[in-house]
Amino acid sequence: MNILADFKANLKKPSFYIAVCSCLLALVSLILYLAMGKTQYNSQKLATIIIVMLIIGMVLLIASCVLDIRFLRYGAAVAFLYAFLEYVITEVNFWSNWIIATDPVEASVLTQYFVITIIMLVATVLAFVTALMTKKQYYRAQVKEVA
């Protein structure tokens, strides 16, 4: 297995660039969550599971860019999906407060929640797209047909 040759071959595929975009969006959402995630709606706490799943997803996605293994990309997509769903669940107080409108929500807090939510969702969707575009699987040996 020649990793450098696989990486050079991956540079020619659109799924590589979609994976890079997904990884960058996940990194941005992680940075935003770490910087602005503590509010009165979540008791001034960050959820470690969100941080861990975003990091795991980014590591798997970077590894899949080098090795071009579909299941690594699916693993990254599932990790991003889990982080997104955990984010929505941990911020349920904010969402219910905003939907029911019991207390006024500051525009900056509303923007912060929507930006983080949208970026995490787009990173998740792009990770699933790149996993679907990847053809190579880890358990199949590439066999050259002899004519």
Side-chain angles (χ1 to χ4, degrees), residues 7 16 19 23 56-67 72 76:
F7 181 70
F16 173 81
C23 192
I56 288 172
M58 287 186 290
V59 167
L60 289 174
L61 208 52
I62 290 168
S64 74
C65 287
V66 174
L67 300 175
L72 289 177

Side-chain angles (χ1 to χ4, degrees), residues 2-17 64-68 73 136 142:
N2 191 352
I3 295 174
L4 186 59
D6 281 348
F7 181 70
K8 286 182 180 179
N10 287 341
L11 289 175
K12 298 177 183 175
K13 298 177 184 176
S15 62
F16 173 81
Y17 296 102
S64 74
C65 287
V66 174
L67 300 175
D68 197 26
R73 291 186 182 182
K136 186 176 173 183
Q142 291 183 351

Side-chain angles (χ1 to χ4, degrees), residues 64-96:
S64 74
C65 287
V66 174
L67 300 175
D68 197 26
I69 297 175
R70 179 190 309 184
F71 294 108
L72 289 177
R73 291 186 182 182
Y74 275 119
V78 169
F80 290 160
L81 179 63
Y82 190 79
F84 169 75
L85 293 175
E86 275 296 322
Y87 180 72
V88 171
I89 289 169
T90 57
E91 306 304 334
V92 71
N93 289 335
F94 164 75
W95 297 112
S96 63

Side-chain angles (χ1 to χ4, degrees), residues 11-29:
L11 289 175
K12 298 177 183 175
K13 298 177 184 176
S15 62
F16 173 81
Y17 296 102
I18 295 172
V20 169
C21 288
S22 176
C23 192
L24 290 176
L25 286 173
L27 180 63
V28 168
S29 69

